[in-house]
């Protein structure tokens, strides 16, 4: 029990684990609370910003501008950044308990949901997560190889991640070369033989999870035409009702754009983006590597807004050797923090992690992988409000000292990256990018990043 946490003499000490949008919005909320707060943010990789740096597609630079807001937070008094520090390895959750009154987990959803079907592990079958991390230069994914010698690619799922993957496969080098895409990925994509990109949804054209600007972009690409079969756009009565509901305005807009694609187009461009509905992959087939995918045709059953895909007996086979599953992300556990395995999140009530007083969650590890970057602002503020309301009940940590945390890391030989250090990495990346007409040329290994700081 404490009544002076947050005072001049005893600032409230909060560790934030993860430096993506939700972590920065939580930090900002704490620093604006009017209390004396010390926020220490821990990030596994040297650079901050999580999914903005390693998830947002390189050809969507406007979305990345949001980091300017986080940069301001990073320079505020009371905020300290510990990059290149892996919680669970370099520091344990128990270590944090010793030095912080509260812990906010902002570690996102770092892996992908599974698609448990025969053949899923055949060479040629990949997750969207790894492809996205690869083209964005994530140090843990730079060695991945994708068989871009294939002409036919499948992407399963119809969310915005699936759209990002499809667009990167569909764009020409000219459309990508002035982005911050990893250079090795640009070179590999330049040699890509992919000509047909099949985007496959288990439900119908009224249940798409992508947003209208994303599907609209496919009508504007230099070398790829969108193709939609009119018979795939036939709606059942329930779907028609859904599209009339103002709640589903975006899905209606998606439907209209898809309808436009089904009606026109000369389809002369060398690449095709084919959108399919009512199909689920049930088996990946191949001798030593993927050769074809067997799909089951589905029908929809259920109430408006809750229709589910139901398998029929009808099967369709399509030949092709490149397969990406993009069916959502899920969180990964950290030792010492409760984890809900089925949901892939830290179980919580309004951000308070269940069974762990003083532990909080924000962002995707709190609510699952949904919403756009801006969604995290209100979400993080709500958790911070809860934390501040809990203040009288928080048990003050026994060793309220950031110097002691730095000492542990020093003893373990961890090269901590500060926010000022990040400034140097950032400047060097921007300078390197300028030489080749890119907004930045990312360093793709931790070693290279640390070398910049040592200079
Ligand atoms: P998502 O929006 O949840 O989409 C997942 C897709 O996978 C849905 O089409 C879903 O279909 C399908 N799916 C799930 N399980 C399946 C299964 N077993 N078989 C076949 N299909 C299956 O997830 P996401 O694309 O990973 O995106 C995550 C979040 O990031 C979203 O909120 C997204 O909007 C956001 N994001 C935004 C941007 C942007 O703003 N540009 C870019 C990337 C990501 P059902 O609908 O049938 O479940």
């Amino acid at each position: 029990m404490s009544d002076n946490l947050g005072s001049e003499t005893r600032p409230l000490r909060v560790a934030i684990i993860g430096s993506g949008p939700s972590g920065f919005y939580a930090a900002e909320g704490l620093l604006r609370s009017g209390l004396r707060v010390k926020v220490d943010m821990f990030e596994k990789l040297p650079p901050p910003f999580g999914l903005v740096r390693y998830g947002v597609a390189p050809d969507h630079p406007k979305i990345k501008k949001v980091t300017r807001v986080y940069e301001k937070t990073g320079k505020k008094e009371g905020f300290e950044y510990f990059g290149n520090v892996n919680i669970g390895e370099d520091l344990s959750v128990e270590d944090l308990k010793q030095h912080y009154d509260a812990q906010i987990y902002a570690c996102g959803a770092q892996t992908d949901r599974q698609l448990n079907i025969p053949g899923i592990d055949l060479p040629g079958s990949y997750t969207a997560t790894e492809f996205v991390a690869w083209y964005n230069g994530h140090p843990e994914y730079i060695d991945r190889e994708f068989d871009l010698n294939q002409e036919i690619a499948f992407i399963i799922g119809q969310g915005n991640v699936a759209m990002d993957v499809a667009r990167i496969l569909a764009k020409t080098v000219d459309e990508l070369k002035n982005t911050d895409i990893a250079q090795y990925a640009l070179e590999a994509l330049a040699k890509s033989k992919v000509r047909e990109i099949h985007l496959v949804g288990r439900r119908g054209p009224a249940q798409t999870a992508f947003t209208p600007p994303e599907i609209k972009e496919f009508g504007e690409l230099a070398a790829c035409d969108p193709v939609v079969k009119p018979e795939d756009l036939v709606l059942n009565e329930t779907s028609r009702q859904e599209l009339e509901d103002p709640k589903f305005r975006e899905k209606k807009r998606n439907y209209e754009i898809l309808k436009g694609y089904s009606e026109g187009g000369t389809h002369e461009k060398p690449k095709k983006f084919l959108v399919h509905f009512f199909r689920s992959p049930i088996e990946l087939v191949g001798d030593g590597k993927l050769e074809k995918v067997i799909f089951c045709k589905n029908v929809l059953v259920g109430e408006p807004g809750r229709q589910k895909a139901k398998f029929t007996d009808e099967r369709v086979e399509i030949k092709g050797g490149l397969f990406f599953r993009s069916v959502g992300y899920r969180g990964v556990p950290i030792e010492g923090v409760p984890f809900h395995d089925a949901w892939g999140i830290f179980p919580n009530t309004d951000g308070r992690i269940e069974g762990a007083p003083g532990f909080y969650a924000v962002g995707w590890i709190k609510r699952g992988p949904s919403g756009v970057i801006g969604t995290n602002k209100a979400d993080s503020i709500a958790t911070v409000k809860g934390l501040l309301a809990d203040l009288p009940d928080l048990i003050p940590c026994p060793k309220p000292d950031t110097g002691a945390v730095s000492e542990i890391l020093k003893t373990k030989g961890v090269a901590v990256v500060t926010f000022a250090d990040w400034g140097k990495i950032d400047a060097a990346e921007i300078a390197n990018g300028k030489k080749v007409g890119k907004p930045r040329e990312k360093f793709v290994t931790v070693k290279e990043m640390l070398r910049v700081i040592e200079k």
Side-chain angles (χ1 to χ4, degrees):
M1 181 82 175
S2 164
D3 51 12
N4 75 339
L5 280 184
S7 64
E8 279 298 317
T9 50
R10 180 59 171 84
L12 170 68
R13 295 179 50 75
V14 183
I16 297 181
I17 298 91
S19 69
S22 65
F24 268 97
Y25 291 127
E28 184 63 21
L30 288 163
L31 294 169
R32 281 173 182 257
S33 66
L35 299 173
R36 276 295 297 256
V37 187
K38 176 73 188 356
V39 176
D40 288 350
M41 178 181 275
F42 296 90
E43 167 60 55
K44 189 172 162 193
L45 290 169
F49 311 140
L51 210 71
V52 181
R53 182 174 166 104
Y54 292 119
V56 172
D59 60 336
H60 280 175
K62 274 193 200 148
I63 300 179
K64 294 181 194 231
K65 289 202 174 131
V66 69
T67 58
R68 288 184 191 160
V69 178
Y70 312 151
E71 293 277 0
K72 282 191 190 147
T73 306
K75 287 174 188 147
K76 280 194 173 166
E77 201 192 324
F79 178 93
E80 209 168 326
Y81 180 71
F82 290 78
N84 201 31
V85 176
N86 193 357
I87 300 300
E89 239 173 62
D90 301 324
L91 282 177
S92 68
V93 166
E94 276 311 310
D95 288 330
L96 294 180
K97 264 191 185 169
Q98 293 292 311
H99 300 282
Y100 299 93
D101 309 312
Q103 304 179 26
I104 300 182
Y105 284 85
C107 41
Q110 297 171 41
T111 188
D112 61 296
R113 273 194 212 132
Q114 294 299 313
L115 203 55
N116 288 320
I117 54 172
I120 195 71
D121 293 325
L122 274 175
S125 163
Y126 312 96
T127 64
T129 328
E130 56 190 333
F131 189 61
V132 169
W134 171 76
Y135 64 62
N136 274 322
H138 189 300
E140 289 163 12
Y141 292 82
I142 57 174
D143 294 328
R144 298 294 161 102
E145 283 177 15
F146 302 91
D147 186 1
L148 299 174
N149 282 322
Q150 299 298 324
E151 293 199 353
I152 297 174
F154 304 96
I155 303 166
I156 307 305
Q158 295 184 328
N160 278 336
V161 172
M163 298 303 259
D164 286 346
V165 170
R167 216 177 45 255
I168 295 298
L169 291 173
K171 279 196 167 177
T172 60
V173 171
D174 277 350
E175 286 172 299
L176 293 172
K177 69 180 184 198
N178 299 121
T179 73
D180 70 359
I181 191 167
Q183 189 58 26
Y184 60 76
L186 185 66
E187 284 162 17
L189 288 162
K191 290 186 223 135
S192 164
K193 296 202 171 77
V194 173
R195 292 288 166 266
E196 278 184 22
I197 301 152
H198 295 259
L199 186 89
V200 186
R202 62 177 166 181
R203 298 195 289 160
Q207 288 81 32
T208 47
F210 48 72
T211 42
E214 271 64 29
I215 185 68
K216 197 164 166 273
E217 259 187 282
F218 281 93
E220 298 153 4
L221 299 183
C224 183
D225 279 317
V227 182
V228 182
K229 290 197 294 287
E231 61 265 32
D232 249 6
L233 295 183
V234 176
L235 299 175
N236 64 7
E237 180 48 36
T238 316
S239 296
R240 267 198 290 274
Q241 278 179 38
E242 285 177 14
L243 291 190
E244 289 317 309
D245 185 337
K247 206 166 64 202
F248 296 120
R249 200 175 295 126
E250 286 204 329
K251 296 195 193 297
K252 186 171 186 182
R253 182 71 194 118
N254 285 343
Y255 184 80
E256 287 163 359
I257 297 167
L258 290 163
K259 200 153 194 309
Y261 292 161
S262 77
E263 283 163 357
T266 49
H267 300 163
E268 282 167 350
K269 294 177 186 167
K271 290 188 189 180
K272 303 280 170 270
F273 170 67
L274 304 105
V275 190
H276 306 271
F277 297 102
F278 308 112
R279 285 180 189 189
S280 291
I282 53 165
E283 188 174 352
L284 272 57
V285 183
D287 187 8
K289 68 180 179 62
L290 178 65
E291 287 163 15
K292 68 177 176 187
V293 181
I294 304 177
F295 292 95
C296 172
K297 282 200 129 183
N298 301 329
V299 289
L300 292 182
V301 290
E303 304 289 305
R306 311 177 64 151
Q307 292 192 85
K308 288 207 160 107
K310 185 174 169 232
F311 286 8
T312 68
D313 293 333
E314 206 178 324
R315 304 282 180 264
V316 185
E317 288 185 13
I318 310 183
K319 284 196 177 139
L322 185 59
F323 182 97
F324 294 99
R325 48 202 190 269
S326 179
V327 295
Y329 289 117
R330 53 181 274 119
V332 293
I334 292 181
E335 201 185 325
V337 189
F339 185 69
H340 192 297
D341 196 45
W343 298 347
I345 60 166
F346 292 172
N348 68 90
T349 308
D350 302 327
R352 295 177 176 93
I353 298 181
E354 286 162 17
F359 282 44
Y360 298 84
V362 291
W364 282 5
I365 200 65
K366 170 185 175 184
R367 63 175 198 276
S370 66
V372 292
I373 288 169
T375 314
N376 293 298
K377 191 167 182 181
D379 174 285
S380 293
I381 297 297
T383 294
V384 166
K385 261 192 182 168
L387 189 162
L388 296 175
D390 293 347
L391 223 51
D393 299 321
L394 284 186
I395 299 171
C397 65
K399 298 175 190 162
D401 178 13
T402 290
V405 176
S406 298
E407 204 48 46
I408 301 176
L409 293 167
K410 201 170 157 192
T411 314
K412 290 190 174 174
V414 179
V416 175
V417 172
T418 66
F419 213 66
D421 291 336
W422 155 244
K424 291 184 196 164
I425 297 171
D426 187 34
E429 286 188 345
I430 292 171
N432 289 343
K434 212 169 181 182
K435 292 178 206 155
V436 290
K438 286 172 145 191
R440 73 171 63 236
E441 187 68 64
K442 286 181 193 170
F443 294 113
V444 298
T445 65
V446 170
K447 213 170 160 185
E448 286 173 304
M449 295 175 198
L450 297 182
R451 206 176 297 138
V452 173
I453 300 164
E454 282 160 12
K455 273 182 194 165

